[in-house]
Amino acid sequence: MNDQDMRRALARVAHEILERNRGAQELVIVGIYTRGVHLAKRLANNLFEFEGSEVPVGSLDINLYRDDLQNRSRPVVRPTDMPQSIHGKRVVLVDDVLYTGRTVRAAMDALNDFGRPDQVQLAILL
C-alpha cells in the first residue's frame, strides 16, 4: 500500500468503527505491538477528526501470552500501556494483519489481565 492507500483504508476503518459503535463513547483503542500500535494511534487521530472526541489509545504486548513461547528464544517484552480501565468498555484491538488468529487469541488473553471489556472488536488492514 502506498501512503494514499493507507490513509484511505484507515479513514474507512475509522468510519466503520464509528458506525458500528454509534459514535466514540465508551471506546478504547488498543494496538498490538508493533505495527498495531502505530495503526491504533492513526485510527484514534481519524476518530478525533471525524467525531471531535478523543478516544484513549493503549498498547499491548502479547509475547508472554503466545502459545509458542517455548519455541522462541527470549522474547522481547515491551511495556503494555492501558490509558484507563477497560472494564465495561468497547475495546477495538488493532493489528496490521490477520493470519491464523493466534495473535488475536493471545491479545484477548492479555486483555483479561486488565479488566473485563463489554465487547472486543478487531480492526485490521489485511
Side-chain angles (χ1 to χ4, degrees):
M1 295 178 102
N2 64 33
D3 288 344
Q4 285 195 345
D5 292 338
M6 181 74 74
R7 184 184 51 74
R8 276 193 295 272
L10 288 172
R12 188 169 40 253
V13 170
H15 281 295
E16 289 176 14
I17 290 170
L18 291 172
E19 289 171 10
R20 177 180 175 88
N21 294 285
R22 295 187 177 111
Q25 298 77 25
E26 302 300 317
L27 278 182
V28 177
I29 307 290
V30 177
I32 301 171
Y33 274 110
T34 55
R35 291 180 201 98
V37 173
H38 302 296
L39 294 173
K41 291 175 183 175
R42 290 182 67 180
L43 275 174
N45 287 337
N46 283 348
L47 294 173
F48 179 75
E49 182 181 318
F50 302 150
E51 192 73 5
S53 59
E54 286 196 34
V55 177
V57 180
S59 56
L60 186 64
D61 181 39
I62 60 150
N63 277 312
L64 297 178
Y65 295 88
R66 294 178 57 94
D67 60 6
D68 61 352
L69 190 59
Q70 68 278 2
N71 299 335
R72 303 178 73 188
S73 62
R74 295 189 141 217
V76 175
V77 179
R78 296 172 186 92
T80 292
D81 175 42
M82 289 295 154
Q84 67 180 54
S85 171
I86 62 169
H87 184 77
K89 304 287 185 184
R90 285 173 282 150
V91 174
V92 179
L93 275 174
V94 181
D95 206 1
D96 58 338
V97 297
L98 176 65
Y99 185 58
T100 63
R102 291 169 61 196
T103 298
V104 175
R105 184 210 44 85
M108 291 178 67
D109 288 346
L111 279 177
N112 284 329
D113 284 348
F114 294 95
R116 185 173 179 180
D118 184 45
Q119 194 177 91
V120 177
Q121 301 171 18
L122 180 63
I124 60 165
L125 283 182
L126 305 170

